[in-house]
Amino acid sequence: MGPLIPNGVIPYEWDSVLAILIGIAFGFVLESSGFSSSRKLAGVFYGYDFAVLKVFFTAAVVASIGLYYMDYLGYIRVAELYVQPTYLWGGIVGGAIMGVGFVAAGFCPGTALTSVAIGKIDAMVYVVGIMIGVFIFAEFYTLFQPLYEGSFLGNITVVDSFGVNPYWFIFILTIAAILAFYLTDLLGKKIKKVFY
Amino acid sequence: MNTTKSVSKRYVFLAAILIVLAGGLVLLPKYQKHEGIEPEELLSKAISPERYISTDILADKLVNQDPSFILIDVREESEYTKYSLPNAINIPLKKLLDEESIPYLNQAQYNVILFSNDNFYADQAWVLCNRLGYKNLKVLKGGINNWYKTIINPPVPTEDMTSLDYELYNTRKAASMFFGVAYPEQFKVDKPIEVKKVAPKKVITVQKKKKKPAEGGC
């Protein structure tokens, strides 16, 4: 049956509408769970708040378990899902830049927008920074192009490229996630509380 | 203290649920998932009359040297060597899923027209290839038998048939000539029509005296 839009269960024209609705819901959940606070977000780097790690790890584990159950029951076909293409070096360099920006500002692009929505000035400055970055990238595109389009590995996944059994991979990932939650909890207790 | 304890209990419970669910994925009995297209899609394609191509259209394409299709003969090799359609490739039904036949069948460049003696074997090949998700597959309706009946040896229309039937017959006959069938009337030498010899009229031309420019004089 699924994915719904490629298989025509939902007409293709609806995808922007659905994207807006899902985006609103996502922003609402981000804001209501405190992800519009740069102090909370940056806490994962300083070790006093691991909410970011917990949220994204949980999201990944829950989504993959759910998807593979639906695949098993025939509601969705994992093979038909869109996989982001991998540009290896572009990804590494971009990830490093993103990480530096994350530590420095305490936002990732999505959470910055939720913060703008509730009127935080630092987030507005951050978004202006994003715009400047986009402008520089666009102006010097010919310079960045070899990095941006180079080392293309295709739409690969861990399961395909290493030939891992997806079910075992998810199981091990789940164990790793729970271990990470436990260890970060221990770590969080040792580090001096920061109130924000 | 009391609250933190209950919270940690809740976390333990949630963690246990995650582990059980993930472990369930590992332990679930695996089954062979069918590859290729969905059964409903296959059914809708199978019902569609578009999957057949008639012998007349095929003959037209062959005569006009349409480059957009390839013919695949799914009969045995012995039958193929005896007679087949022009430029047909022989892929017997048994060898349909072999590696060397995939490039012919699984491509998006040409239409693939499958045929056998009737359309039964070709239909089987069509279903197999469609299940694998190959595209642009067609079956020659009636196969070689029908090809022989309609194109190579077209039935002569009787007098009570419409002019359209006569037109169709003429087209088929012309096509069969293209494929090398000779008709007796081709060799019948028409009797020269006797034409009364009319003696050509004698045209008497009167030679006009040319006016000569005046000579001499002063």
Side-chain angles (χ1 to χ4, degrees), chain B residues 18-93:
Chain B
L18 267 184
I19 290 177
V20 166
L21 282 175
L25 271 183
V26 175
L27 295 176
L28 277 175
K30 304 293 176 290
Y31 62 92
Q32 177 79 43
K33 277 187 197 150
H34 82 91
E35 286 174 16
I37 61 169
E38 293 283 323
E40 293 85 10
E41 202 185 335
L42 180 71
L43 190 66
S44 77
K45 275 188 178 176
I47 295 168
S48 160
E50 253 178 55
R51 74 190 181 95
Y52 286 115
I53 182 168
S54 75
T55 46
D56 287 310
I57 292 173
L58 179 64
D60 184 59
K61 280 180 184 241
L62 282 169
V63 170
N64 292 321
Q65 302 188 331
D66 188 335
S68 69
F69 67 98
I70 49 177
L71 282 166
I72 288 180
D73 189 344
V74 298
R75 300 173 306 161
E76 292 300 317
E77 209 177 328
S78 57
E79 291 175 287
Y80 170 75
T81 44
K82 269 185 208 158
Y83 178 76
S84 191
L85 298 182
N87 296 329
I89 298 158
N90 184 221
I91 299 175
L93 205 53

Side-chain angles (χ1 to χ4, degrees), chain A residues 69 71-72 77 167-168 178, chain B residues 19 21 29-31 33 38:
Chain A
Y69 266 107
D71 178 60
Y72 184 84
R77 278 199 259 168
Y167 303 111
W168 276 108
I178 288 163
Chain B
I19 290 177
L21 282 175
K30 304 293 176 290
Y31 62 92
K33 277 187 197 150
E38 293 283 323

Side-chain angles (χ1 to χ4, degrees), chain B residues 171-182:
Chain B
T171 331
R172 284 174 169 178
K173 197 168 141 187
S176 71
M177 286 177 184
F178 179 84
F179 296 115
V181 179

